[in-house]
Amino acid sequence: MIQRVALVLAAFALLVIAGCSKAPEAEMQAANNAINAARSAEAEQYVPNAFRMASDTLNAAMAAKNEQDSKFALFRSYGKSKEMFIRAQALAEEASAKAAEEKERVRQEVTNLITEAQAAIDAANAAYAKAPKGKGNKAELELIKTDLAGVAAQFEEAKNDFNAGKYLTAKSKVQAVMQKANSITEEIATAAGMKK
């Protein structure tokens, strides 16, 4: 009777060990797919911390799995790595969702910046049109005209990036355009003040 109980217990133990020693391939694949989806959603650019956390968790899960892979089959236990793969998948999915929200927020911000930049360019062009013209400042006016052409070209590039969905790139370009246009307006105003 004792031998029978011992055999049953041994068989149960082997079943438990076998169950724990099964590599979490499905969980690993799901986590990798979620990371790739987050990358496609541009989570690296829009929510870098959330993406890094998901990636780090996936890397830690891989390390835990590899550690168990290196052990003798009866001593393997993938419970920890399985939990980490599941956690990495959840973090990656969360990063994807946050990236979509952040991208939309940036899109709206750049939409507003484009309106402001157009106003700044219009103001610079108006200031240039009213700038006092004379022999002494002809060269300066030519430089300002060249700067205005450069600002207009950069603004078109920014709008093209925006239309292509490159909102972060467009944002930095539009901000540079606004800064340059405002600088030109101030430069003309300062020059006009000195002529008085």
Side-chain angles (χ1 to χ4, degrees):
M1 178 71 179
I2 293 174
Q3 284 183 331
R4 210 172 195 183
V5 170
L7 281 174
V8 169
L9 287 175
F12 180 73
L14 283 174
L15 283 173
V16 169
I17 290 170
C20 291
S21 65
K22 184 180 174 192
E25 298 295 337
E27 291 80 4
M28 181 177 67
Q29 187 60 47
N32 277 318
N33 290 343
I35 288 286
N36 289 334
R39 191 172 283 118
S40 295
E42 300 177 271
E44 288 173 288
Q45 289 79 36
Y46 286 97
V47 286
N49 290 338
F51 183 80
R52 191 176 314 111
M53 189 179 297
S55 294
D56 288 350
T57 303
L58 177 62
N59 291 336
M62 287 298 300
K65 179 187 174 295
N66 290 339
E67 182 184 340
Q68 295 304 314
D69 286 345
S70 67
K71 292 181 178 179
F72 182 67
L74 285 177
F75 299 111
R76 290 178 190 160
S77 175
Y78 290 102
K80 181 181 172 187
S81 62
K82 181 177 178 178
E83 286 177 17
M84 293 173 79
F85 281 126
I86 292 170
R87 177 78 180 136
Q89 179 186 355
L91 289 171
E93 289 170 351
E94 190 177 312
S96 291
K98 286 181 178 177
E101 290 174 13
E102 181 62 9
K103 190 171 181 178
E104 175 56 24
R105 189 196 66 74
V106 172
R107 188 193 69 77
Q108 188 58 50
E109 181 185 4
V110 177
T111 299
N112 296 335
L113 286 174
I114 286 174
T115 302
E116 293 175 29
Q118 184 62 62
I121 290 171
D122 291 346
N125 281 321
Y128 176 77
K130 292 180 182 175
K133 306 205 174 26
K135 289 182 182 176
N137 64 357
K138 189 174 179 183
E140 293 171 4
L141 288 172
E142 280 301 314
L143 286 175
I144 291 172
K145 187 177 179 182
T146 301
D147 285 347
L148 282 171
V151 165
Q154 192 174 6
F155 189 45
E156 286 306 311
E157 281 181 27
K159 289 193 288 187
N160 288 338
D161 286 333
F162 178 81
N163 292 333
K166 300 175 184 174
Y167 303 131
L168 290 174
T169 303
K171 180 181 175 181
S172 63
K173 286 183 179 176
V174 170
Q175 288 172 328
V177 163
M178 286 175 59
Q179 187 176 12
K180 184 63 179 174
N182 289 332
S183 171
I184 291 171
T185 302
E186 289 173 16
E187 183 182 348
I188 293 171
T190 301
M194 292 174 69
K195 293 277 182 187
K196 290 180 182 175

